[in-house]
Amino acid sequence: MKFGTKAIHAGITPDPTTGAIMTPIYQTSTYVQESPGKHKGYEYSRTHNPTRTALQNALAALENGQYGICFSSGMAATDAVLRLYKPGDEIIVTNDIYGGTYRIMKRIYEGYGLIFRFVDMSNPGNVTEAISDNTRMIWIETPTNPLLKIIDIKQITALCNGRNIHCVVDNTFASPYLQNPLDLGADIVMHSVTKYLGGHSDTVMGALITNDNELAKQLAFIQNAAGAVPGPQDCFLVLRGLKTLHIRMQRHCENAMQIATWLSNHPKVAMVYYPGLTSHPGHEIAKKQMRDFGGMLSFELKGDVYEEAVSTMERLELFSLGESLGGVESLCTHPASMTHASIPKAEREQVGLKDTLIRLSVGIEDVDDLIADLQQAIG
């Protein structure tokens, strides 16, 4: 079954009671049992909910996985993964990474004894050097947030083989339409479902997908025991969003490519970070492991003046200034003060994240209107 068909049909069956073609919103906290322990597969909605089950099955199918586990946010999903490890375990992490991921690792789990080593994974040799006898997990984010670095998933997962090391890939920027890390050797795929999977900026959710039966059992236990689960209304909204994922992602990619090319030729733009450009250092790897190059890009203006970057963002009209990404509408973000503010300035600059960097989540509007908006804002 091809992706567009899976996006509409995978994990979904007509409601057995009424024949409703759309999965109902099972807005209930509990379920009546015939006798103690004798029920129809559902006891309590923190543990299981039919709307959530349908979504989990759909997400697993889109990532070519067997098990999907949904959480109340992308950070709750990340938290569940980190709960798999114990004090003294070492985790190697992409150094250009979402600020919230950095925050939970450094400010919460480092206090519980986990050890994090942040390396530039665009050079796999850095990962090889960082691996020790205590390494238990490698966390990849590709394309990275916000510098759009590309990491060779297959090459990194090969380093885990035979070493009792899990490989987890944050696939949020790509979505399963563009990239399937499980097929490249990853053990777990993480999504901030809030972004492209939901696609309409109207829900917050996270998900983990795996083919490993034991990992699935552990993560499902954490999901139930810790209780950070999404409600049925949110699950319904994401199920609806998935049905247009392939159409939306194609337009995101087309628009982003045109905008990246336009920005690259603008006399006031110093640098454009977009893996679809042949000048991007990760372009060939992206071509190999992605089906297209995504809707995210970042850029810097010439002169490297903070005030000019801020005023440019303030002049944008169609690109709304706000955190998040992946919705049908275009967004503009200042990573240094917004999505990545939790990372110390010295560490941001060490990986190349300047205070003047502007990140765009390119929506599915008419691309000519988006370019006109950028033109009037940049001047």
Side-chain angles (χ1 to χ4, degrees), residues 169 223 244:
V169 178
Q223 179 200 45
T244 58

Side-chain angles (χ1 to χ4, degrees), residues 193-208:
V193 178
T194 308
K195 313 305 192 297
Y196 286 111
L197 294 174
H200 293 80
S201 302
D202 56 8
T203 187
V204 174
M205 193 185 301
L208 302 172

Side-chain angles (χ1 to χ4, degrees), residues 13 18 28 37 44 70 82 102 107 110 125 130 146 151 163 166 193 204 208 211 220 224 226 242 256 347 379:
T13 56
T18 65
T28 184
Y44 188 64
C70 285
L82 294 174
Y102 175 94
R107 297 185 62 181
E110 198 168 72
I151 296 164
R163 284 177 151 152
H166 296 135
V193 178
V204 174
L208 302 172
N211 277 318
N224 180 52
L242 290 182
E347 293 187 36

